[in-house]
Amino acid sequence: MKKFLLTLFLIAFMLVMAHAGYSMTLNGAGATFPYPVYAQWAYKYEKLRGVKLNYQSIGSGGGIAQIKAKTVDFGASDAPMRAEELKKYNLFQFPMIMGGVVPVIHIKGVSNEQMKLCAKVLANIFLGKIRKWNDPAIRKLNPGLALPDREITVVHRADGSGTTWIFTNYLDKISKEWHKKVGTGKAVSWPTGVGGKGNEGVSAYVQKVNGAIGYVEFAYALQNGLTTVRLENRAGRFVAPTIRSFQSAAAHADWAHAPGFYMVLTDQPGPESWPITGASFILIYRVQTRPNRARAMLTFFDWAYRHGAGIAKKLGYVPMPEKIVKLVEEAWKENLKDTQGNPLWK
Amino acid sequence: MQPRLATYRKLTNALVVGLSGFSALIGLFFLGWILMVVILKGMAAFSPDFFLKLPTPPGVPGGGLANAIVGTLLITLLSVLLGVPLGILGGVYLSEFGEQSKIAAAVRFCSNVLMGTPSIIVGVFIYAIMVYPLGHFSGYAGAVSLAVIMLPVVVRTTEDMLRLVPNSLRESALALGAPRWKVTVQVVFRAAKSGLFTGVLLAIARVSGETAPLLFTALNSPYWMESLSKPTANLTVTIFNYAMSPYKDWQRQAWGASLLIMMGVLFVTLVGRFYLKGRKTP
Amino acid sequence: MGSAFVLPLLILGLFVALTGLSLPSIKRFGLHFIVSPAWNPVKHDFGALSSIYGTLVSTFIAMILAVPLSLAIALFQVELVPPVIGRVVGSAIELLAAIPSIIYGMWGLFVFAPFMADHVQPFLARIGGNLPLFKGPPMGIGMLTAGLILALMILPFITSVTSDVFRMVPAHLKESAYGMGSTTFEVARKITLRYGIDGVVGAGFLGLGRALGETMAVTFVIGNSHRISASLFTGANSIASTLANEFTEASDPLYLSSLVELGLILLILTVMVQILSQLWLRRMRRKTGKGM
C-alpha cells in the first residue's frame, strides 16, 4: 500500500516537473460571440510566436465577473461596460472585433434567407405572443412560403451572454412592450422558450428541434449551416445577414466620441445595414502588476488587429477598420500603466 | 381452497413474475443502449491523433485531446494523494479508536452527509475558498474538490474493511505487548490490505467521471499544462464544452472522450470488484 | 487521529462558506427568496421557487419510476431466477451506477431526447393531450426527459440496496410460506417485502439524495429555463443545473450571492434527506436488532 502510494507520488511529481519549463500562457475568458475567431487567432499566433493564449468561452457575464475577480488576465464581453463602471473597477475597455447577431430558424421546408421577419413580429415571437409558424402576421410577410401548423419553440441563452445583450438591446429599441416587460440584459427574464448554454448550446438546440427559433452570433450560423432569415431594418428594407450588411451598420459608429469606447451598433440607419450588429470588447486593468505579461497581451491584440483580418472575415466577422485601431492604440498609450506609472505601450 | 381463487392467484403470480422479468429487461436494455451508443460513436473518434495531439480551434481539422487525458490523470492522481491518506486515517479512527464514542458517531454522520452532498456544491465551495482568494483557476483546486468528494468514500470503505478483521487478531498482537498503533499498522492493515485497495479503486472510480466540481475549479485549457497552478485541461469539462458545441468534429471527439472515461471508470470498478471477490475474508 | 475531524470541519466549512457568500442575497430577499418565482438578472430580482420546483418535480418523476422498477428487479434477481443469473443481472444493473453522469448527459441529449421527441412525446400527447401535463411542442428536451434519465441513474443504487435487503430475509421464513402452498408473488409480497420494507425505504432515501443533487445529466436535457409550468414537455431547471449554467457568469454580486444561496438550499435539502435516512436506519436497527 505504502509503496503503491509512493510510486504514484513520484510519477505525479515527475510529470509536474517535466512540464514546468517556462513559456507564457495568457489566460482570458468571456464572450462566446468572438470565440471562434479568438481561438483561431491564438492557434496561429502560438505557431508564429510561441506565446499561448488560453481563451475560454464562458459567456460575457463570466468575462466581466472573472476579470473583476482577477482570476484571468483579460476578460471579454459583447456588452460594453459604461465609462463610470469602468472607472469604479479601474478597468480599460476596447473593441476587438465586430459581427452580427442573427435569428436562426428550423422549419422543415424553409431554407436559408427565405423567411422575412419584421422587428415587431420578431419581438412578438420572443414575447410568446405569436405561438405558431402559420400565424397571420408571419404569413403576411411571407406570402410565398408554405408555413406549417407547428408551435414555435423559442431558444434563448441559459447563461449570461453578450449575444443576448445585443439581441435584447435591439428588441428593447424597437418594441415598447419588450422594453416594459423584459428590457436589455446579458440575462433576462424570458417570457417563453428553452435555454441553451452558449452560442453553441443555442445552435445545437435549434438544429435538434423542428419549429425552433433562436439567435446566435453570425459565425455560428455560418459554420453550422443554420437557416437564417431576412430582417427589416430601420430604412424599411429586408436585408440578409452578410459581412457587407454588418459593415454598413458599423460604418455609422462614431468611436472617437464614445467615452470608454462605449458603443452600441444595433438599429443603425442606412439602407444596407443589418439591424442587430454589435462589437465585442476586451477588458483589462489600467494598472498592470506584471508588465511583461501585459505587454505580451497587447502585442497579441496588435497582431490580431494587423494580421488577423483574413481569419476574421473567413469566419464571418467584421475586422476593426484601421482608423479605429489607431484610436485604440493611442488610448493604450495614454491609459495603460505599470505600477510605477510608466506607459505599457509605446 | 376454491379452484377459481387458485387460478386467480396463479394468474397474478404469473403476471408479477412476468412484470419483474420485464423490469430487469428494461434495466439491461438501457445499459446496453448506452454502452452501445458510447462505444460505437466513441470508436469512430479514436485515432493516433486523438491520443497524441492538442486540440485545434473549430474549423481546423485534426487535433486531439492528449492534454486533457494527461490533465485528468494528474488531477485524479493528486486527488488520490490528498484524499486517500486522510480518508484511511479517518476510517482507522472510526474502526480502531473511536468506535462507540459520541464523537465517532458525529464523524460518521458527517461522513454520510458529505457522501450525499451534491458534487456541484463541493465545486462552489472550493471556488469560494480556493479559486476566488488565490485569484486563479487551477488544477490544484480541481484536485482538492475531487479529494473532498473522495474522502467520505474512503473513510466508509476503510472502516468497513477494518471491521472485517477479526478481533482475535488484534487481541493476540496486543497480548504480545505491541502498542496500539503498531497493531493497527502492522497487523490490521496487513490483514485488510486488499480490502483497502478496493476502497481506493472505488473512490477513484467515483471521482474520475466527475464534471460538476471541475467546472468552477480546474476550468479547461487547449494547451499542455505548465503546472497545476493554472487552468488545467481535463476530459470531463472538455466533453461538456465539446458536446454542447455545434461542430461535428468536436462532438465526435466528445464521444471519444466519453468512451475513454467510461472505459477507465468501468475498468477500475471491475478491478475493484474482482479484488473484493478474490479477497478471502480473514 | 485528528484526521477524522477533517470531516466535521469540512461540513462546517461548507455551511459557513455558503452562508457567508449568500448573506447579501439573504439580507436582500429574506425568506421571500424561497417562494419567489422571479429570476430576473436585469432587475436584480431573484427567487428560488422555479429551481426548487424543477428539482423536486424531476426528482419525483425519477422516484415514482425508479422505486417500483428497482423493487421488481431486486425481486427478480433474488427470488425468481437461479442465484447465478441473479448475480449476473445484479452486476449488470450495478454497472449503470459506474457510468459517469456526463455520459448520461451526452446520451440523453444526442440519442434519448430525439427519441423522446419523435416517438414518446407525440404518443403521450395523443393519449393524454388534454392533460396539462403533456401540453406543448414535443422537443425532447425538458422536465420529463430529465426525470426519466434521473430514474435510470438512481435505479442501480436502489436495486442494489434492495436486493441486499431481500437476501437477508431468513430462508426458513420463505420456505415455510412456500411449504404452505404460497405462490412466488405471495411470498415476495407477504414475507420478503414485509420483512425488508425498512431497508427498501432506506434505499429510497439513498436514491432520493442522489436525484436531488445530480447535475450534469440534468443540465444537458432539462432545457434550462426559469419557469414553472404544469407541462412536463417544457424546459425547466433544477438548482444544480442553474448553478452549472450560471455560476461562473454571474457578474453582479447579488446575482452570485443568490446562486450560492440556491446551493445552500440544495445542501440543506440533501442534509435533511441524510438525517431522515439515518434516523430510519437507526429505527430499523433497533427493530431488527442488527446492523446493516
Side-chain angles (χ1 to χ4, degrees):
Chain A
M1 192 76 221
K2 239 188 280 169
K3 220 188 234 164
F4 170 71
L5 283 179
L6 199 71
T7 330
L8 281 185
F9 183 74
L10 278 178
I11 295 172
F13 188 70
M14 276 174 344
L15 274 172
V16 172
M17 288 331 279
H19 284 104
Y22 183 79
S23 103
M24 197 180 293
T25 305
L26 303 165
N27 291 307
T32 57
F33 172 109
Y35 175 63
V37 64
Y38 289 179
Q40 289 216 10
W41 279 345
Y43 184 70
K44 186 146 188 222
Y45 192 70
E46 200 234 330
K47 292 229 149 43
L48 290 174
R49 310 261 176 106
V51 174
K52 295 169 187 161
L53 185 102
N54 176 11
Y55 182 75
Q56 294 293 320
S57 60
I58 59 172
S60 292
I64 294 175
Q66 298 312 325
I67 188 74
K68 279 184 189 166
K70 300 189 179 171
T71 53
V72 288
D73 293 313
F74 69 90
S77 168
D78 311 324
M81 283 170 81
R82 296 209 178 262
E84 314 88 73
E85 210 191 343
L86 287 169
K87 206 166 171 190
K88 189 172 143 203
Y89 290 99
N90 205 20
L91 283 168
F92 180 75
Q93 160 179 286
F94 56 91
M96 195 67 225
I97 191 86
M98 294 181 290
V101 175
V102 300
V104 287
I105 56 173
H106 177 176
I107 309 167
K108 270 193 188 132
V110 178
S111 60
N112 204 22
E113 295 178 8
Q114 256 190 349
M115 180 172 280
K116 290 180 189 165
L117 292 176
C118 68
K120 206 171 147 218
V121 168
L122 188 68
N124 282 339
I125 290 176
F126 277 85
L127 279 167
K129 284 170 73 182
I130 296 180
R131 312 193 72 97
K132 292 223 164 173
W133 281 113
N134 61 355
D135 189 279
I138 305 178
R139 274 217 303 257
K140 208 177 131 201
L141 291 168
N142 301 281
L145 275 182
L147 292 163
D149 177 27
R150 201 168 236 291
E151 283 188 62
I152 299 177
T153 303
V154 167
V155 184
H156 55 73
R157 290 284 291 270
D159 47 343
S161 148
T163 311
T164 301
W165 192 91
I166 296 170
F167 188 70
T168 53
N169 175 277
Y170 171 67
L171 293 180
D172 192 284
K173 274 183 184 167
I174 51 102
S175 157
K176 273 206 184 92
E177 194 176 348
W178 186 275
H179 178 75
K180 226 171 59 206
K181 278 192 181 157
V182 188
T184 303
K186 291 188 283 286
V188 297
S189 179
W190 293 96
T192 181
V194 292
K197 189 174 161 70
N199 273 303
E200 302 94 326
V202 172
S203 310
Y205 279 177
V206 170
Q207 279 172 328
K208 286 199 172 55
V209 181
N210 189 3
I213 182 168
Y215 58 92
V216 293
E217 204 289 312
F218 181 56
Y220 288 84
L222 204 64
Q223 286 244 342
N224 302 299
L226 296 173
T227 309
T228 59
V229 301
R230 289 164 175 269
L231 264 185
E232 190 183 26
N233 65 13
R234 209 160 142 181
R237 292 189 39 181
F238 288 94
V239 288
T242 57
I243 296 196
R244 252 177 59 121
S245 62
F246 304 154
Q247 260 166 342
S248 159
H252 293 273
D254 180 13
W255 291 98
H257 294 95
F261 292 112
Y262 183 93
M263 174 64 69
V264 182
L265 299 170
T266 54
D267 201 26
Q268 294 285 320
E272 297 289 319
S273 296
W274 177 253
I276 324 177
T277 304
S280 194
F281 298 84
I282 300 284
L283 294 161
I284 54 179
Y285 279 97
R286 277 167 181 276
V287 177
Q288 294 280 341
T289 46
R290 290 187 289 184
N292 279 334
R293 287 182 79 82
R295 250 176 243 123
M297 209 151 60
L298 294 177
T299 315
F300 168 79
F301 293 136
D302 177 61
W303 174 87
Y305 278 143
R306 287 169 203 286
H307 304 281
I311 292 177
K313 277 188 183 153
K314 216 173 73 198
L315 288 168
Y317 293 89
V318 181
M320 300 307 292
E322 207 174 315
K323 201 174 71 191
I324 299 165
V325 171
K326 269 210 184 103
L327 217 62
V328 169
E329 296 196 338
E330 282 301 318
W332 286 356
K333 281 181 205 167
E334 249 172 69
N335 292 292
L336 302 177
K337 303 277 159 66
D338 65 13
T339 40
Q340 260 90 54
N342 304 313
L344 284 166
W345 189 253
K346 282 165 199 136
Chain B
M1 216 167 268
Q2 293 158 354
R4 209 188 303 150
L5 192 59
T7 328
Y8 171 74
R9 285 171 60 217
K10 268 188 193 146
L11 268 178
T12 327
N13 187 49
L15 192 71
V16 170
V17 170
L19 273 180
S20 74
F22 182 64
S23 306
L25 273 183
I26 291 179
L28 296 179
F29 167 73
F30 276 102
L31 177 72
W33 191 4
I34 295 173
L35 289 183
M36 197 187 69
V37 166
V38 175
I39 290 170
L40 286 181
K41 297 210 174 197
M43 285 304 277
F46 280 3
S47 69
D49 278 1
F50 178 82
F51 293 100
L52 298 172
K53 286 214 171 139
L54 290 178
T56 48
V60 180
L65 299 175
N67 59 339
I69 296 171
V70 174
T72 290
L73 285 177
L74 269 187
I75 292 178
T76 311
L77 203 67
L78 192 62
S79 70
V80 169
L81 293 180
L82 289 169
V84 166
L86 261 181
I88 288 186
L89 286 176
V92 166
Y93 170 79
L94 290 182
S95 146
E96 305 293 309
F97 296 91
E99 215 176 337
Q100 299 300 338
S101 68
K102 277 246 164 66
I103 298 173
V107 169
R108 216 167 279 136
F109 174 75
C110 288
S111 172
N112 283 330
V113 168
L114 198 57
M115 193 143 24
T117 302
S119 55
I120 192 155
I121 300 288
V122 175
V124 172
F125 173 58
I126 301 296
Y127 179 89
I129 65 163
M130 270 184 84
V131 176
Y132 187 74
L134 293 179
H136 48 79
F137 295 96
S138 68
Y140 290 124
V144 171
S145 59
L146 292 190
V148 170
I149 293 165
M150 173 187 287
L151 191 61
V153 183
V154 180
V155 169
R156 163 72 73 80
T157 46
T158 305
E159 191 192 354
D160 288 352
M161 292 306 155
L162 295 188
R163 283 265 169 92
L164 289 177
V165 177
N167 257 334
S168 53
L169 217 63
R170 293 190 184 88
E171 281 153 11
S172 34
L174 283 172
L176 287 173
R180 192 78 199 246
W181 65 270
K182 215 166 182 182
V183 174
T184 304
V185 174
Q186 294 190 343
V187 179
V188 180
F189 266 19
R190 213 162 276 178
K193 201 161 84 183
S194 57
L196 292 181
F197 189 64
T198 306
V200 173
L201 286 181
L202 291 180
I204 294 174
R206 167 88 170 80
V207 301
S208 51
E210 280 291 350
T211 314
L214 296 181
L215 276 178
F216 315 146
T217 53
L219 205 66
N220 203 355
S221 153
Y223 301 110
W224 284 112
M225 101 190 77
E226 285 136 20
S227 91
L228 281 171
S229 60
K230 304 248 172 74
T232 306
N234 59 86
L235 280 173
T236 44
V237 176
T238 304
I239 295 174
F240 185 55
N241 290 342
Y242 278 23
M244 288 287 195
S245 89
Y247 308 104
K248 288 275 171 291
D249 214 35
W250 277 15
Q251 287 181 3
R252 213 169 33 98
Q253 292 194 10
W255 283 112
S258 299
L259 178 56
L260 207 60
I261 281 279
M262 200 176 78
M263 286 193 323
V265 174
L266 290 186
F267 175 75
V268 171
T269 313
L270 290 178
V271 170
R273 286 277 167 70
F274 174 75
Y275 249 82
L276 200 63
K277 259 194 207 132
R279 179 180 51 83
K280 285 198 206 89
T281 317
Chain C
M1 288 296 111
S3 60
F5 303 106
V6 171
L7 286 162
L9 277 181
L10 273 175
I11 300 288
L12 199 70
L14 264 171
F15 272 101
V16 170
L18 295 193
T19 313
L21 277 181
S22 43
L23 270 184
S25 146
I26 294 173
K27 268 189 201 140
R28 171 75 181 273
F29 302 114
L31 280 178
H32 185 64
F33 186 76
I34 300 171
V35 293
S36 157
W39 191 265
N40 193 334
V42 182
K43 301 191 172 113
H44 303 291
D45 185 10
F46 299 99
L49 195 61
S50 70
S51 297
I52 295 178
Y53 174 79
T55 305
L56 295 183
V57 172
S58 59
T59 303
F60 180 72
I61 297 174
M63 291 298 285
I64 56 168
L65 291 173
V67 169
L69 212 57
S70 307
L71 270 177
I73 295 176
L75 275 178
F76 176 79
Q77 66 185 79
V78 177
E79 306 292 341
L80 301 180
V81 291
V84 184
I85 301 177
R87 260 201 300 279
V88 171
V89 172
S91 306
I93 297 290
E94 272 181 47
L95 277 190
L96 278 173
I99 297 174
S101 76
I102 187 143
I103 288 172
Y104 279 98
M106 288 275 290
W107 171 81
L109 179 64
F110 288 101
V111 182
F112 193 57
F115 174 78
M116 290 287 291
D118 293 342
H119 304 289
V120 181
Q121 291 185 339
F123 171 74
L124 287 175
R126 236 191 351 266
I127 58 167
N130 297 326
L131 294 174
L133 283 181
F134 304 128
K135 279 260 155 62
M139 54 188 177
I141 302 152
M143 192 81 98
L144 183 63
T145 310
L148 285 176
I149 290 183
L150 272 182
L152 200 54
M153 294 181 73
I154 59 175
L155 183 75
F157 292 98
I158 307 182
T159 307
S160 142
V161 177
T162 312
S163 54
D164 282 351
V165 171
F166 287 173
R167 283 205 184 90
M168 279 170 27
V169 178
H172 61 88
L173 279 184
K174 286 190 277 185
E175 276 152 19
S176 15
Y178 279 122
M180 287 173 66
S182 305
T183 62
T184 317
F185 169 58
E186 283 160 351
V187 174
R189 191 166 61 110
K190 302 229 169 96
I191 310 293
T192 313
L193 254 186
R194 194 159 294 175
Y195 190 89
I197 186 70
D198 282 333
V200 173
V201 173
F205 275 121
L206 187 74
L208 184 65
R210 288 266 149 184
L212 283 175
E214 175 46 46
T215 311
M216 298 321 291
V218 172
T219 307
F220 269 92
V221 297
I222 199 166
N224 307 317
S225 55
H226 291 276
R227 200 167 312 106
I228 298 174
S229 157
S231 170
L232 300 180
F233 286 4
T234 52
N237 62 356
S238 73
I239 293 179
S241 75
T242 303
L243 281 173
N245 272 318
E246 301 179 29
F247 187 74
T248 46
E249 294 155 12
S251 48
D252 146 293
L254 188 65
Y255 190 2
L256 187 77
S257 153
S258 302
L259 283 170
V260 177
E261 191 177 346
L262 274 186
L264 185 65
I265 291 173
L266 179 58
L267 181 64
I268 291 172
L269 271 177
T270 51
V271 169
M272 267 162 32
V273 169
Q274 264 318 307
I275 292 176
L276 280 177
S277 72
Q278 296 292 319
L279 288 178
W280 195 273
L281 269 177
R282 193 169 296 170
R283 212 193 83 162
M284 184 168 95
R285 242 172 247 159
R286 256 210 316 273
K287 240 169 76 177
T288 56
K290 62 180 161 191
M292 270 265 304

